[in-house]
Amino acid sequence: KAEFEEQVSFKGHFDPSLAGQTVPRGEVCLRGSNVFAGYYKNDKDTAETLDDEGWLHTGDVGVWNADGSLSIVDRKKNIFKLAQGEYVSPEAVEIAIGTSKWALQVWVYGNSFENYPVVICTPDVEVMKQWAQQNGKAGTMADWVKDPEVKKMIFADIIASGKAAKLRSFELPKKIAFETTINEFGQGFTIDQDLLTPTLKLRRPQLLKKYQKVIDEMYAEIREEEAAAKKTEGAKV
């Protein structure tokens, strides 16, 4: 808990008046006569939702603001820990980098065996078409993002969006891959594929199942690049 409190923070401009203070945060729990008594004939789910003291555990991570209001900043189950110990809120990162004009959908992934998060992005097809027209590029969106320079351009803008939102260095994705098979709405992650909920929230376990191979390839590339960099440094010495 202490480690979680130290690492996980909500985003925003630094307020000097809060320096050295611990911002109360944690899972939002509810209790009262307005809270349900449990699931009908389902003791297992009831025990997972209500504790012995009658508190309903919502699964939301909240912070108390200076004015006494409560802000919901994440889902408890979505936060992951990187290999070096830092906690990352994927939803906060996705909100930040999703402001890039090139990105229609983004999914950020990381785990405790890797040092960096990675991202899979569905580019905004209308923005891509406009860019292609202005630059005399033929083909499809799949063709365009295969170009290393185009990939570099989009990824640089995504990282710049993350930095503008005050993401910390370990929260920024290290690699990017693209989903270019889209539906009539321009979505690469769709409800029909069971990658989105009816309210358009990401289904993270299903996304991982679909893109596991792509994720593995990105992390393999990172390790190869790091090994090559160490070899170059060793040769210089």
Side-chain angles (χ1 to χ4, degrees), residues 7 17 58 93 117 122 126 134 138-139 163 202 230:
Q7 294 288 348
S17 67
T58 66
V93 178
T122 302
E126 296 304 321
Q134 292 173 347
K163 289 181 177 179
L202 297 175
K230 289 181 180 178

Side-chain angles (χ1 to χ4, degrees), residues 3 7 31 34 37 41 64 76 115 144-145 160 172 174 186 227:
E3 186 179 19
Q7 294 288 348
R31 186 172 70 175
N34 59 324
K41 293 185 178 180
W64 287 111
K76 183 180 177 182
N115 293 321
W144 304 329
V145 298
L172 296 171
K174 188 72 171 180

Side-chain angles (χ1 to χ4, degrees), residues 7 20 23 37 39 44 54 57 76 88 109 196 200 215 221 228 231:
Q7 294 288 348
V23 179
Y39 293 102
K44 180 178 179 294
H57 291 250
K76 183 180 177 182
V88 176
Y109 174 79
L196 294 179
L200 303 183
I215 294 290
E221 288 179 13
K231 186 175 181 180

Side-chain angles (χ1 to χ4, degrees), residues 95-115:
I95 290 171
I97 66 177
T99 59
S100 168
K101 70 175 184 178
W102 303 102
L104 183 72
Q105 294 173 305
V106 289
W107 169 54
V108 171
Y109 174 79
N111 62 52
S112 60
F113 299 102
E114 305 294 347
N115 293 321

Side-chain angles (χ1 to χ4, degrees), residues 27 39 42-51 55-57:
E27 183 177 12
Y39 293 102
N42 191 337
D43 294 338
K44 180 178 179 294
D45 286 350
T46 297
E48 291 177 354
T49 307
L50 296 172
D51 63 24
W55 287 100
L56 184 151
H57 291 250

Side-chain angles (χ1 to χ4, degrees), residues 94 106-107 120 188-189 194-196 201-212 215:
E94 287 156 1
V106 289
W107 169 54
I120 292 181
F189 313 148
D194 199 33
L195 302 180
L196 294 179
K201 294 181 180 178
L202 297 175
R203 291 190 183 276
R204 298 179 189 276
Q206 289 86 338
L207 283 161
L208 179 58
K209 183 178 180 180
K210 177 177 174 61
Y211 295 110
Q212 183 69 71
I215 294 290

